[in-house]
């Protein structure tokens, strides 16, 4: 009975546990609103207080209504499984502002060990007091994403906001994409903890009015800085665009655009970063312009490499037009500094300078340093400097330093001083074959993998060789115009059935001298076609016992193909001038261009005559031209495929409903015979299939056209009110 003395205490403890459990219920998964009338949470602080205290029970989305929220929030590690999203309800980063207006050093947003948080369309503003920044990340934040946000500082008197985003103790998976950074000393700073974090991405952001350092990445593994825009930076004494310090692995600095007007400026700094043979760092496809109009510039470097290994500098374009105090010593497009780096490749870059030199090396050259196929264009009278020795010409540089044996020194032909896209062929196709690394240029165009352009811009996008499309083996037809002493139109029909000759399977092909659809009774058999396993097409012409070569779809530029004969004795040699591709039915097909103007297209055949390809090179009075190619009744290629499909249904003969109908012409007028006196519509076309007029009538009689038809051959379609139609050819005399 003594134990009963403690019963009230036990009941009180159980009661308090129940009350506490009710208070600590996590925020349920779902969509919530912040701000505005009737919102779930009046402020950021209220929403953050709830998830900090109680955690979440799944994915939580906060839609933030337009307004200025004067508060400072701190998000800690949130209990529960799920992601938390803060997004502007309107999607406009100028409609939602988070600002700390209180006179303190607290930033508007602090992430303290937070994980799984993203922000979209939010403006983080320093306000009217000089805060150290707008976002701070400490104590191992991970899986943090900012998209379409605006990070904005202020200038007060002679002072400016410091670091907009300070991630001094970050962990893995931190991303900044499609954001804007304005008015501060520095933009983004991400520093890894003891173990170098991975998946740090800074991509497609814009930096305006950043005076010191735009992107600062330290102690990270394989960080990415891709596609960022660093707008004109002017008035600053020193400026660095992208700095990577003590990073490891396959770092990537690609497709960034910079215009720098600082007195001392570095576009990209790679400082004590080590890749490996399997995971090399890559600085590629960057366009960098240095333009200081006065002689205030002191020292400017495009790409600075200090005590780093296994780094690639590929396909960058750097232009320098600054006036420097010391025009020889103080500018280098690429500068290898201090202790000799190893395993460095400087390939396919454009370095165009009017002060200083394209290349400078201040240490002994390691045999693993490879520089070649660059354009080293200099109007300063200097190509490079090595250990204090200046080299005036490319030949002197090659002989003295043993680098750039296949480089050149020509004006690359930039679009303008600020636009480093190419506008000429000076460096077109002159890059080294580096296995298509990078495969795309700064604009996302595919590079020629074997003969790329030098620099960040591929002048003409390279289209990879399309998948082969075999020559038709099902029903198809080719409508061909033939002009010699006059013009006529033929149609060739390939049937779907097989014809076995010997041990080989062929497909029969027929010719008709009008535009009616296939009728075996009216067609002339001209031969049978087959394709072998190496993309060669042969024809067994009517009356022959031996097949002849018709196409070689494996031919490449420079090859000679033999075409066009009725027998082995009169095959004609034709040279393949080039190959490219053409878009057909939503996909590219390979095209072989022959001397003389004719082309062969995969799965189509000749743009001249399907059964006599290549003959226009030798027979000048015979000029076939493909008007339309169709397969399985689908128009696929040709100048007149968009016109109405003239003809009776496939395989049909004459329709009894249209028997006896005739259309003739004389003196510019049309005469129609309709035996049963039916009402009809008559459409006229020229030989290309272009509609030229429509007439109406009842029964037989003469139909004068509103303008007299010139003598020649026309196509027509006569449609009865019953829907029956007949197509044919009209000779106007």
């Amino acid at each position: 009975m003594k134990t009963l003395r403690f019963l009230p205490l036990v009941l009180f403890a159980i009661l308090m546990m129940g009350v506490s459990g009710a208070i600590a219920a996590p925020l349920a998964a779902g969509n919530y609103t912040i701000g505005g009338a009737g919102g779930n949470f009046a402020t950021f602080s209220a929403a953050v207080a709830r998830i900090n205290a109680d955690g979440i029970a799944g994915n939580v989305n906060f839609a933030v209504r337009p307004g200025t929220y004067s508060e400072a929030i701190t998000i800690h590690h949130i209990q529960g499984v799920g992601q938390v999203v803060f997004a502007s309800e309107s999607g406009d980063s100028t409609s939602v502002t988070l600002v700390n207006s209180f006179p303190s050093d607290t930033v508007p947003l602090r992430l303290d060990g937070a994980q799984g948080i993203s922000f979209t369309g939010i403006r983080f503003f320093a306000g009217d007091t000089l805060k150290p920044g707008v976002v701070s990340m400490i104590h191992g934040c991970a899986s943090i994403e900012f998209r379409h946000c605006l990070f904005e500082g202020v200038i007060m008197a002679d002072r400016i906001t410091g670091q907009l985003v300070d991630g001094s103790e970050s962990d893995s998976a931190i991303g900044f994409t499609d954001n804007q950074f304005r008015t501060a000393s520095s933009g983004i700073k991400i520093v890894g903890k003891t173990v170098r974090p991975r998946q740090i991405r800074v991509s497609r952001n814009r930096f305006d009015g950043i005076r010191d350092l735009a992107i600062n990445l330290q102690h990270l593994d394989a960080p990415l800085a891709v596609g960022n825009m660093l707008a004109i930076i002017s008035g600053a004494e020193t400026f660095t665009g992208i700095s990577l310090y003590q990073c490891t692995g396959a770092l990537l600095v690609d497709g960034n655009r910079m215009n720098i007007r600082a007195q001392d400026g570095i576009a990209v700094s790679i400082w004590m970063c080590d890749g490996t043979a399997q995971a090399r760092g890559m600085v590629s496809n960057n366009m960098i312009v240095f333009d200081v109009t006065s002689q205030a510039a002191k020292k400017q470097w495009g790409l600075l490499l200090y005590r780093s290994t296994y780094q690639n500098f590929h396909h960058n374009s750097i232009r320098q037009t600054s006036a420097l105090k010391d025009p020889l010593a103080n500018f280098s497009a690429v500068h290898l500094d201090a202790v000799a780096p190893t395993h460095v490749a400087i390939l396919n870059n454009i370095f165009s300078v009017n002060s200083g030199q394209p290349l400078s090396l201040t240490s002994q050259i390691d045999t693993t340093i490879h520089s070649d196929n660059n354009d080293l264009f200099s109007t300063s009278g200097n190509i490079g400097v090595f250990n204090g020795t200046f080299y005036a010409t490319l030949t002197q540089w090659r002989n003295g330093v043993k680098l750039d044996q296949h480089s050149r020194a020509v004006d690359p032909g930039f679009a303008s001083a600020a636009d480093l896209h190419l506008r000429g062929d000076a460096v077109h196709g002159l890059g080294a074959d580096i296995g298509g690394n990078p495969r795309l240029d700064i604009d996302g165009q595919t590079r020629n993998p074997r003969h790329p352009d030098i620099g960040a811009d591929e002048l003409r996008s390279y289209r990879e060789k399309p998948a082969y499309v075999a020559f038709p083996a099902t029903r198809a037809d080719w409508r061909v115009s033939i002009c010699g002493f006059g013009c006529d139109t033929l149609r060739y029909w390939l049937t779907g059935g097989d014809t076995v000759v010997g041990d080989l399977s062929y497909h029969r092909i027929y010719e008709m001298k009008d535009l009616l659809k296939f009728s075996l009774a009216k067609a002339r058999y001209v031969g049978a076609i087959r394709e072998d396993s190496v993309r060669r097409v042969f024809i067994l012409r009517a009356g022959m016992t031996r097949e002849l070569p018709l196409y070689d779809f494996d031919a490449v530029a420079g090859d000679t193909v033999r075409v066009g004969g009725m027998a082995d004795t009169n095959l004609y040699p034709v040279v393949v001038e080039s190959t490219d591709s053409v878009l057909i039915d939503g996909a590219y097909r390979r095209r072989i261009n022959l001397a003389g103007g004719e082309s062969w297209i995969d799965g189509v055949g000749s743009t001249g005559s399907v059964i006599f390809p290549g003959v226009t090179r030798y027979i000048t009075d015979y000029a076939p031209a493909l008007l339309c190619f169709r397969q399985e009744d689908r128009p696929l290629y040709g100048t007149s495929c968009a016109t109405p499909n003239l003809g009776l249904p496939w395989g049909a003969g004459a329709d009894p409903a249209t028997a006896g109908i005739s259309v003739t012409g004389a003196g510019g007028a049309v005469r129609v015979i309709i035996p049963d006196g039916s009402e009809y519509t008559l459409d006229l076309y020229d030989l290309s299939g272009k509609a030229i007029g429509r007439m109406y009538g009842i029964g037989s009689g003469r139909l004068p056209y509103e303008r007299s038809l010139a003598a020649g051959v026309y196509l027509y379609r006569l449609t009865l009110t019953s829907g029956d139609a007949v197509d044919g050819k009209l000779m106007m005399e």
Side-chain angles (χ1 to χ4, degrees), residues 264-306:
D264 282 1
I266 302 173
V268 179
S269 174
I270 308 295
W271 195 276
M272 300 175 67
C273 294
D274 294 320
T276 66
Q278 293 74 33
R280 298 177 69 103
M282 175 69 77
V283 179
S284 56
N285 283 334
N286 299 288
M287 286 185 176
I288 300 167
V289 174
F290 287 89
D291 181 16
V292 178
T293 55
S294 69
Q295 286 193 332
K298 300 175 183 178
K299 182 172 290 187
Q300 297 177 335
W301 290 327
L303 309 174
L304 170 63
L305 187 68
Y306 178 84

Side-chain angles (χ1 to χ4, degrees), residues 325-347:
K325 288 185 176 181
D326 184 349
L328 285 182
N330 290 341
F331 179 84
S332 296
V334 173
H335 181 71
L336 307 187
D337 200 1
V339 178
T342 62
H343 301 91
V344 175
I346 306 170
L347 301 171

Side-chain angles (χ1 to χ4, degrees), residues 187-188 202 207 213-217 225 228 230 240-244 256:
I188 299 175
V202 181
F207 296 80
L213 177 53
I215 301 172
N216 184 2
L217 306 177
N228 299 285
L230 282 66
T240 300
I242 301 173
S243 175
L244 282 78
N256 301 285

Side-chain angles (χ1 to χ4, degrees), residues 648 653-661 675-676 720 724:
L648 298 174
D655 190 329
T658 60
I661 293 176
D676 64 358
L720 302 175
D724 297 307

Side-chain angles (χ1 to χ4, degrees), residues 106-176:
T106 304
V107 298
L109 173 64
R110 183 185 301 274
L111 301 176
D112 185 352
Q115 298 185 6
I117 311 289
S118 68
F119 300 87
T120 301
I122 308 293
R123 179 185 181 222
F124 301 95
F125 183 43
D128 56 3
T129 59
L130 202 63
K131 299 294 188 302
V134 295
V135 174
S136 174
M137 293 183 288
I138 61 175
H139 298 150
C141 296
S143 299
I144 307 296
E145 191 76 30
F146 293 89
R147 291 182 178 273
H148 303 286
C149 293
L150 172 58
F151 305 86
E152 189 169 6
V154 294
I155 298 176
M156 298 184 64
D158 60 346
R159 301 178 63 195
I160 190 171
T161 300
Q163 185 80 51
L164 285 176
V165 177
D166 188 351
S168 295
E169 297 179 17
S170 298
D171 209 326
S172 60
I174 308 292
F176 293 85

